[in-house]
Amino acid sequence: MEGSIRVAHLTEVNEALKNLSQLFQSWREIRSIKDTFTETTRIIEQLLDYDMAVLYLLGEKGLCFIKTTGELEERELQTQKILNEKLFKNSSPLIYEAGFQESTISQQFDELQDIASVILIPLLNKKGLQGILACASKERHSFSSQELLITQIIADALNSRISILLYQEFLEQNNKELRSITKRMRHDFANDIQALALGMELLATTELNKEQKKYVEILDKSITSATKKLRELKELKKKVERDYQ
Amino acid sequence: MEGSIRVAHLTEVNEALKNLSQLFQSWREIRSIKDTFTETTRIIEQLLDYDMAVLYLLGEKGLCFIKTTGELEERELQTQKILNEKLFKNSSPLIYEAGFQESTISQQFDELQDIASVILIPLLNKKGLQGILACASKERHSFSSQELLITQIIADALNSRISILLYQEFLEQNNKELRSITKRMRHDFANDIQALALGMELLATTELNKEQKKYVEILDKSITSATKKLRELKELKKKVERDYQ
């Protein structure tokens, strides 16, 4: 009965449910994946008898968030290793109740050192694997059905939230680029239009025949129009930035 | 023992936990509050013995999502009534196990007609009340502690998600405005610069003295510079819109 050495603290279900409630409350005012995972591990620690929780986040830049004791650690990830194995092609968790270190896949998870037992839950979205949640124990550990269910609930909630946080990150990035384009544009055109206005002023001081006066009028009209648009643009930009606060 | 007439189906806790897991999975690929609540009520129906679920969403334009049988209904909301009462200033749910219709606050919830028992859970964020989740029964109903806990978990998860979905909505709106400004700007300046280039061409065909030629050169340089920037801008705009797909 090795597995029963470290039985989960999940003796009182209501207590577990209260902890889930707390978890979702803690997510309310935070916006980053790192903060979300920090709050999540705080609850995992209260709920389940694990020594280590790791969130693998795949994608363009792979990240890995590791929580043992103390602060949450963030690392860059060699994602290829995990992805190539196709270990997580369906949503079922991989469970090693003992001897994880002796398994063939353990070498793919550098972060899970000195681990005897682990639950690895794939975080899938419609594009495929977006990450893995790992809850690990240094000693041999037998996972109860409720322990598995609670871990699965946390993984599912985390997965939905990560999807939306990644989209939010993309929107913020896109937004930043657009604002920088708008700013640069206004600045650049302002310089050209100022130079044009100056050139026109100088030209107007010279002797001009009837034909030339007509052409200068055309030029003048366009410059006035462009200047007006620059002013409008400045107002619009101010408005959008005010909204953004 | 009126309350026991309709006992919640929550006999098997593991079943409830599996349903929560399903709920968070269902949120994974959806982005709107309405779709989120549709999926949520699907799970509420499986988990709990309510006849009606209502999500009140306060804010600039108050909304109300009502689910009885069939499709989810969306209505505009008279938010002032609920807000003024300050009934939901702390996070504890208001529970009416019987006789909700006879209560003084029932008249503030037009949607909860023919309701005998109800749980009203405030959805709070740091700015205050952002909404209310109501789970209601037409008959007198006694809520079990686990029923309350499950409803609270769903409300807390829903609340965190709504916060982030509202922020996402704002980002999308802001983004849309910025793209429209960029587009309008490019279009407007293109017209002016085209007119300027034309005026310059015509002016160049006339007899110009040395001084005038110098000024025309200044003007020409600025127009060339502005035209180049317009081209760059077009490329940038294309890039951002490609990213956005």
Side-chain angles (χ1 to χ4, degrees), chain A residues 14 21 24 28-29 124 126 156 160 164-165 167 172 184-185 192 207 212 225 229 232-233, chain B residues 21 24 28-29 124 126 146 156 160 164-165 167 172 184-185 192 207 212 225 229 232-233:
Chain A
N14 279 8
S21 181
F24 302 132
R28 212 170 52 193
E29 307 299 346
L124 297 167
K126 62 182 169 188
D156 288 328
S160 292
I164 212 164
L165 287 175
Y167 178 57
E172 278 175 337
R184 212 192 107 190
M185 215 155 117
D192 288 334
E207 197 87 5
Q212 287 170 329
S225 159
K229 276 161 204 164
E232 281 174 19
L233 180 60
Chain B
S21 183
F24 301 134
R28 212 170 53 192
E29 307 299 347
L124 297 167
K126 62 181 168 189
Q146 273 173 358
D156 288 328
S160 291
I164 213 165
L165 287 175
Y167 179 57
E172 279 176 335
R184 212 192 107 189
M185 215 157 117
D192 287 334
E207 197 87 5
Q212 287 171 330
S225 159
K229 276 161 202 162
E232 281 174 20
L233 180 60

Side-chain angles (χ1 to χ4, degrees), chain A residues 13-18 20-31 91 123-127 130 145-146 149-150 152-153 156-157 159-161 163-165 167-168 170-172 174-175 177-179 181-182 184-186 188-189 191-193 195-197 199-200 202-203 205-209 211-212 215-216 218-223 225-227 229-230 232-233 236-237 239-241 243-245, chain B residues 13-18 20-31 91 123-127 130 145-146 149-150 152-153 156-157 159-161 163-165 167-168 170-172 174-175 177-179 181-182 184-186 188-189 191-193 195-197 199-200 202-203 205-209 211-212 215-216 218-223 225-227 229-230 232-233 236-237 239-241 243-245:
Chain A
V13 175
N14 279 8
E15 211 46 50
L17 293 177
K18 274 181 202 159
L20 281 180
S21 181
Q22 259 180 47
L23 173 63
F24 302 132
Q25 277 176 34
S26 76
W27 284 0
R28 212 170 52 193
E29 307 299 346
I30 54 178
R31 291 274 152 82
S91 60
L123 308 179
L124 297 167
N125 65 14
K126 62 182 169 188
K127 285 178 193 162
Q130 76 170 340
S145 70
Q146 272 172 0
L149 269 169
I150 292 278
Q152 184 71 53
I153 290 171
D156 288 328
N159 193 24
S160 292
R161 190 169 165 89
S163 282
I164 212 164
L165 287 175
Y167 178 57
Q168 179 202 291
F170 160 76
L171 281 176
E172 278 175 337
N174 200 267
N175 215 292
E177 279 176 33
L178 278 168
R179 270 180 297 146
I181 289 175
T182 314
R184 212 192 107 190
M185 215 155 117
R186 206 185 66 79
D188 284 3
F189 283 121
N191 284 349
D192 288 334
I193 287 160
L196 281 166
M200 283 300 297
L202 293 168
L203 200 61
T205 62
T206 65
E207 197 87 5
L208 295 165
N209 65 30
E211 196 193 3
Q212 287 170 329
Y215 300 148
V216 166
I218 295 177
L219 287 168
D220 211 33
K221 230 168 125 180
S222 301
I223 289 169
S225 159
T227 310
K229 276 161 204 164
L230 266 185
E232 281 174 19
L233 180 60
L236 267 172
K237 208 183 124 267
K239 190 202 157 289
V240 172
E241 294 199 342
D243 287 351
Y244 205 71
Q245 298 308 311
Chain B
V13 175
N14 280 9
E15 210 46 50
L17 293 178
K18 274 181 202 159
L20 281 180
S21 183
Q22 260 180 46
L23 173 63
F24 301 134
Q25 278 177 32
S26 76
W27 284 0
R28 212 170 53 192
E29 307 299 347
I30 54 178
R31 292 273 153 83
S91 60
L123 308 179
L124 297 167
N125 64 13
K126 62 181 168 189
K127 285 179 192 162
Q130 76 171 341
S145 71
Q146 273 173 358
L149 269 170
I150 292 278
Q152 184 72 53
I153 289 171
D156 288 328
N159 193 22
S160 291
R161 188 168 167 90
S163 281
I164 213 165
L165 287 175
Y167 179 57
Q168 177 202 294
F170 160 76
L171 280 177
E172 279 176 335
N174 201 268
N175 217 293
E177 278 175 35
L178 277 168
R179 272 180 294 146
I181 289 175
T182 315
R184 212 192 107 189
M185 215 157 117
R186 205 186 65 80
D188 284 4
F189 284 121
N191 283 347
D192 287 334
I193 287 160
L196 281 165
M200 282 300 297
L202 292 168
L203 200 61
T205 63
T206 64
E207 197 87 5
L208 295 165
N209 63 31
E211 195 192 6
Q212 287 171 330
Y215 300 148
V216 166
I218 296 177
L219 288 168
D220 213 31
K221 230 167 126 179
S222 301
I223 289 169
S225 159
T227 310
K229 276 161 202 162
L230 266 185
E232 281 174 20
L233 180 60
L236 268 172
K237 209 184 122 264
K239 191 202 157 291
V240 173
E241 294 200 342
D243 287 351
Y244 205 70
Q245 297 310 310

Side-chain angles (χ1 to χ4, degrees), chain B residues 73-98:
Chain B
E73 195 194 325
E74 185 177 340
R75 284 191 204 157
E76 276 195 31
L77 183 67
Q78 300 296 327
T79 64
Q80 286 318 101
K81 275 202 290 185
I82 295 169
L83 278 171
N84 286 341
E85 285 297 324
K86 292 178 184 171
L87 279 164
F88 300 94
K89 55 183 180 287
N90 67 54
S91 60
S92 308
L94 285 185
I95 300 169
Y96 290 82
E97 299 217 314

